[in-house]
Amino acid sequence: MAIACTTNFSDAARRTSDTVALLSRRMNAPLCLIHVVSKTLMRTFGQSVREAALSALQGEARRLETLGAVGVETVLLTGEPEQAVSELAAERGFQLVVASAPDEPTPFRGLGGTVDRMAQELDVPFLVVRGNAALEAWARGERALRVMLGLDRSRPFEVAREWVKGLARFGPLEVVGGRVFWAGTEAERLGLEHPHNYKDISPELHDALEQEAATLLEPLRAASTSVRVRMEPGLGRVADHLVALAAEEQVDLLVVGTHQRKALARLWSVSQAARRLASMSVVSVPVLTAEQGLEAELPRVRSVLASTDFMAAGDRAIAYAFAIAPPGGTVHLLHVEPADATQEELEAARRQLELRVPREAQDGAHQVELSVLTGDDVAGVITQAAERHCVDLLCLGTHGRTGVSRAVLGSVAQQVMARSDRPAVTVRMPRA
């Protein structure tokens, strides 16, 4: 792991360099100290400004080596800082770029300063340092680092989680998963009763969201990492709530994933707003990081949902669900009856569902949960059940219709896959 630290030789940049030197020692990571001279200064002062900058860089490097920084290298660049640093990061393969927080906030949210522009250009994790003492204490091995990880079901969250997991290799962490949610949207997604207002959280909704959050954070649970969830119903921008949660939890570091949105979309960027509003250090992890060598954990299948209409293809999906689920895993078996089904019909359907549990699966190797639900939108009921149970995989039977019959009758499996972002396996019957 190689670390780059940008400096403009200000007091804040000097203090950040001290922090990065300790991180370099803790992680045994080579440190590259970077200064960028603008083309205007070069044109105005010529070689003299270059010599002065090189002298200042070399002096900083010697000082950081006395703090324990590993293999300090100095690089002097010319041009716009964000573009020059981004190009160097891509060329050298830095795995983290660090800068000090700007001294003054940017007056207009739509236009970023140097730090914002650098975050937009960099394709590697970017740490903006505020409150150096906590990071330095962790780097010295004096205490655990308190981290809040912005949590949701998205690709940016996944890459941010993997970055935090990598950080845990170098010292103990206390991770708080901060989840900001809109109660009405989540209730609709999970097929639960719609709340009367944004803070009206039913026990069923709270439990479902907490279970989902715990599952999302599971890869972080290790001997050196304590993990818990903090949930907050939101109204307005996610970043405002997330930063407030981080302040309440008194964390040392806020970590968020980012799509690196451009132009007007940046006005709603959680990572950009967090960098500006947070009182603590912030790391933004771009999604592109995952494509450039960030080690990602292989997905684990612990729970599978199989839906059947009691026809051959649906029943075949049940068999595949048990084959896929590992020992100790959970298989949810689901059947959907029409909305106007009678109690007798529901009880009969449950008996039919019980009969479809394979004999080999009755030895206790799997946990089996049966559900008979009602609704005329079968695909919607299945999708919402998958969300409530927070399953890792759906197993769906398909009749294999094509052409006109598929267009007229439709395909429940196809509709489920179109609505759900959870992985799904479709099971077809062998050809006659």
Side-chain angles (χ1 to χ4, degrees):
M1 180 176 186
I3 302 175
C5 179
T6 63
T7 181
N8 59 4
F9 307 121
S10 66
D11 290 342
R14 182 184 175 91
R15 181 64 192 277
T16 294
S17 298
D18 293 347
T19 303
V20 177
L22 295 175
L23 293 175
S24 168
R25 183 179 67 181
R26 177 78 179 191
M27 300 177 179
N28 193 30
L31 173 59
C32 182
L33 191 63
I34 304 170
H35 177 68
V36 183
V37 180
S38 70
K39 291 181 179 179
T40 301
L41 279 177
M42 287 296 294
R43 285 194 299 266
T44 303
F45 297 101
Q47 188 63 22
S48 61
V49 72
R50 179 178 178 82
E51 292 175 353
L54 280 172
S55 177
L57 270 176
Q58 291 165 0
E60 274 290 276
R62 288 190 294 271
R63 188 178 65 81
L64 297 181
E65 285 174 345
T66 65
L67 296 175
V70 176
V72 183
E73 176 191 9
T74 60
V75 175
L76 181 64
L77 302 172
T78 303
E80 295 298 327
E82 63 275 11
Q83 184 176 357
V85 173
S86 177
E87 290 174 355
L88 183 67
E91 177 186 333
R92 298 288 187 87
F94 297 135
Q95 291 170 288
L96 178 66
V97 175
V98 186
S100 58
D103 296 329
E104 297 180 358
T106 305
F108 178 59
R109 294 187 184 278
L111 299 174
T114 300
V115 169
D116 279 333
R117 294 195 301 272
M118 197 177 298
Q120 291 298 314
E121 292 293 330
L122 286 168
D123 293 330
V124 299
F126 183 43
L127 167 61
V128 178
V129 177
R130 292 186 182 89
N132 308 62
L135 283 171
E136 292 176 0
W138 178 77
R140 293 191 190 98
E142 297 171 355
R143 49 163 286 192
L145 190 69
R146 292 179 58 82
V147 178
M148 174 163 283
L149 173 61
L151 189 156
D152 61 12
R153 290 189 63 241
S154 69
R155 185 59 177 152
F157 162 74
E158 290 179 348
V159 297
R161 180 186 62 194
E162 291 305 313
W163 188 87
V164 172
K165 186 178 177 181
L167 186 66
R169 295 199 302 265
F170 303 105
L173 306 180
E174 296 175 3
V175 178
V176 181
R179 178 162 195 176
V180 179
F181 64 94
W182 283 265
T185 302
E186 295 299 322
E188 182 177 351
R189 175 175 72 90
L190 297 167
L192 299 174
E193 184 179 353
H194 199 283
H196 298 294
N197 60 65
Y198 83 99
K199 284 194 173 182
D200 182 18
I201 313 301
S202 67
E204 293 80 10
L205 177 58
H206 179 276
D207 291 347
L209 292 177
E210 196 165 66
Q211 176 191 353
E212 184 176 66
T215 301
L216 291 170
L217 292 172
E218 182 63 31
L220 293 178
R221 300 185 188 278
S224 61
T225 305
S226 66
V227 181
R228 61 186 178 86
V229 179
R230 175 74 189 275
M231 297 195 303
E232 180 75 13
L235 186 66
R237 291 195 315 173
V238 171
D240 296 324
H241 293 281
L242 187 61
V243 168
L245 279 181
E248 288 178 20
E249 292 288 341
Q250 298 181 334
V251 301
D252 309 315
L253 182 66
L254 175 60
V255 181
V256 291
T258 175
H259 279 300
Q260 295 173 298
R261 293 187 174 95
K262 306 294 183 181
L264 288 177
R266 292 169 59 187
L267 293 172
W268 293 273
S269 168
V270 173
S271 60
Q272 177 172 286
R275 279 192 304 273
R276 295 180 175 191
L277 299 174
S279 58
M280 68 290 297
S281 298
V282 177
V283 172
S284 53
V285 186
V287 167
L288 193 57
T289 297
E291 301 171 7
Q292 297 184 342
L294 182 68
E295 294 183 4
E297 183 177 87
L298 292 175
R300 291 181 294 171
V301 177
R302 292 155 297 189
S303 60
V304 181
L305 184 145
S307 175
T308 179
D309 54 3
F310 300 144
M311 297 181 70
D315 291 349
R316 190 175 177 84
I318 292 177
Y320 272 86
F322 279 98
I324 292 170
T330 302
V331 177
H332 300 271
L333 300 186
L334 171 64
H335 173 74
V336 182
E337 284 285 309
D340 58 357
T342 64
Q343 186 62 37
E344 290 76 12
E345 289 171 331
L346 296 178
E347 291 173 357
R350 185 173 182 85
R351 288 193 294 273
Q352 287 294 320
L353 205 55
E354 291 171 349
L355 292 173
R356 281 161 171 79
V357 177
R359 183 174 303 172
E360 295 81 357
Q362 297 177 9
D363 58 1
H366 297 93
Q367 294 183 358
V368 182
E369 297 188 5
L370 309 179
S371 298
V372 176
L373 303 177
T374 59
D376 294 327
D377 178 9
V378 176
V381 173
I382 295 171
T383 302
Q384 291 171 339
E387 295 298 312
R388 284 196 304 278
H389 295 302
C390 198
V391 298
D392 301 310
L393 189 74
L394 292 99
C395 209
L396 306 167
T398 175
H399 299 287
R401 297 188 183 97
T402 58
V404 175
S405 63
R406 184 182 185 92
V408 174
L409 297 175
S411 166
V412 170
Q414 183 184 37
Q415 293 176 43
V416 170
M417 289 189 292
R419 298 187 194 187
S420 176
D421 57 4
R422 295 183 183 274
V425 173
T426 57
V427 179
R428 298 181 65 170
M429 295 297 295
R431 292 183 179 179

